[in-house]
Amino acid sequence: MKKNKILGCISLICFAPMIMAMQPMDDQSLSATTGQDGINIGVGMSKVQFNQISLIDTNGIANTSYGSRAGMTLASTTNTPVTLNFSGANNSPTFNIVVDTDAGANNKAFANLAISFANQITGLTLSPFSIYLVGTNSTSSISSSKSIFTGTSLNSDIKELIRVGSSVNVNFISGNSPKMNIQLGNAPQGHMIQFGGAIGSICSGGCPITLISDNSGAGASFTVALKANDTTNGFLLNNFYAGIESGGFVFGNTGTSSKLDASLSTVTLGTTGQSSSTVFNGIQNGPIGNIGAVGASVTDLKVKISGM
């Protein structure tokens, strides 16, 4: 009997904290208690690779002789993977996603996804790539996936349109990296995607770009560099948005954006890849020089992309 009493006392002592924690809470204490708000997801990766990404039109231009399937494809120039690297990535999450749902004051439900880069991510680097126009024979369909290359050579129905000859680097502002807030369903924020954060520069060392206009290789080439005019706060993305409207996909900003310094150097017109002594249509290839803008901004920009 004494042994049972001793065991009972020990049990009371050991489980007393648990018993106290399970006591009923009054209304005042309960109203001050908050639980988990939404679902937090951390995604860790150091890079993303792909061979080609295509935008495909399955029916061409209606009521014309150009009614076949065709596409526009982003890929490398040598049939190697295009790589997107996250600068500063380690074993911690690369970016975080907070998912939540609500009905709002007007009882219209929506899903909210807040996507942000982790603090250690300092920027992005995209390897060199080209954008191609793709003929029917090389355009993928629902039933078959096709490459625009045979070995390392482009297929005969491929036309190179734009070439970016070096890696594209995007540098973030420390402590204020780019972010997106996505709302699906009813969108209280007014747009499906609202951007935030800031960018320090794009192609800070210059990215050579070639625009090719016809099969002879004639076109324009230049080196582009974009930098925030305010080196401390960067180029702010807070007022930029994107989404789907009844007329198509839209991208724009509200009000006046922060300022950006842009430069186009070594601008050259003529046969791409040739020296200035090369003659094109009776005129030598000629460098125009350098073009730049300091402190440029946009006000109430709105770009709409609609289908045909």
Side-chain angles (χ1 to χ4, degrees):
M1 195 69 180
K2 289 182 179 179
K3 185 180 294 185
N4 290 336
K5 288 182 179 179
I6 294 172
L7 289 174
C9 291
I10 294 173
S11 299
L12 286 172
I13 293 171
C14 291
F15 290 101
M18 186 178 295
I19 294 169
M20 291 295 293
M22 294 175 65
Q23 292 298 316
M25 298 179 68
D26 56 39
D27 290 341
Q28 184 176 0
S29 299
L30 189 61
S31 66
T33 303
T34 58
Q36 177 66 40
D37 185 16
I39 301 171
N40 293 273
I41 303 171
V43 180
M45 63 178 69
S46 60
K47 64 180 178 181
V48 175
Q49 285 187 329
F50 59 88
N51 288 329
Q52 59 185 51
I53 296 177
S54 299
L55 178 64
I56 298 173
D57 185 347
T58 59
N59 59 0
I61 302 175
N63 303 319
T64 70
S65 59
Y66 298 94
S68 301
R69 186 174 70 252
M72 181 177 290
T73 296
L74 188 154
S76 70
T77 58
T78 57
N79 198 18
T80 56
V82 178
T83 303
L84 175 65
N85 288 289
F86 300 92
S87 303
N90 53 31
N91 294 328
S92 302
T94 303
F95 55 89
N96 301 300
I97 307 173
V98 179
V99 184
D100 204 354
T101 58
D102 201 344
N106 55 7
N107 203 31
K108 293 183 178 180
F110 66 96
N112 193 91
L113 291 82
I115 304 174
S116 60
F117 286 100
N119 291 333
Q120 75 273 10
I121 304 301
T122 59
L124 307 173
T125 302
L126 181 65
S127 62
F129 64 91
S130 290
I131 296 177
Y132 304 91
L133 299 178
V134 184
T136 301
N137 293 334
S138 299
T139 301
S140 298
S141 64
I142 296 176
S143 59
S144 64
S145 177
K146 298 181 180 180
S147 173
I148 64 173
F149 291 93
T150 299
T152 58
S153 300
L154 289 169
N155 296 341
S156 59
D157 61 342
I158 308 299
K159 173 69 172 68
E160 188 178 19
L161 185 64
I162 301 173
R163 181 187 303 167
V164 180
S166 69
S167 295
V168 177
N169 55 76
V170 181
N171 297 316
F172 300 163
I173 294 296
S174 178
N176 194 24
S177 58
K179 55 184 68 71
M180 292 189 300
N181 198 75
I182 304 173
Q183 291 185 345
L184 304 175
N186 179 51
Q189 67 185 12
H191 302 284
M192 179 183 292
I193 303 173
Q194 193 76 41
F195 295 96
I199 291 175
S201 64
I202 301 175
C203 292
S204 56
C207 294
I209 297 176
T210 302
L211 309 178
I212 304 172
S213 64
D214 62 19
N215 290 329
S216 69
S221 62
F222 52 86
T223 299
V224 62
L226 304 172
K227 298 180 181 180
N229 186 262
D230 183 344
T231 57
T232 301
N233 298 310
F235 183 81
L236 300 177
L237 303 176
N238 298 47
N239 294 324
F240 284 86
Y241 62 85
I244 306 296
E245 294 184 356
S246 58
F249 175 83
V250 296
F251 172 81
N253 82 302
T254 303
T256 301
S257 72
S258 52
K259 296 179 180 181
L260 193 68
D261 297 341
S263 67
L264 299 179
S265 58
T266 60
V267 180
T268 302
L269 303 180
T271 304
T272 59
Q274 301 295 321
S275 67
S276 60
S277 61
T278 302
V279 175
F280 169 72
N281 279 0
I283 302 175
Q284 289 186 339
N285 277 5
I288 294 177
N290 302 323
I291 304 173
V294 177
S297 64
V298 294
T299 300
D300 295 330
L301 170 72
K302 187 173 185 178
V303 178
K304 179 179 287 187
I305 303 173
S306 302
M308 297 181 63

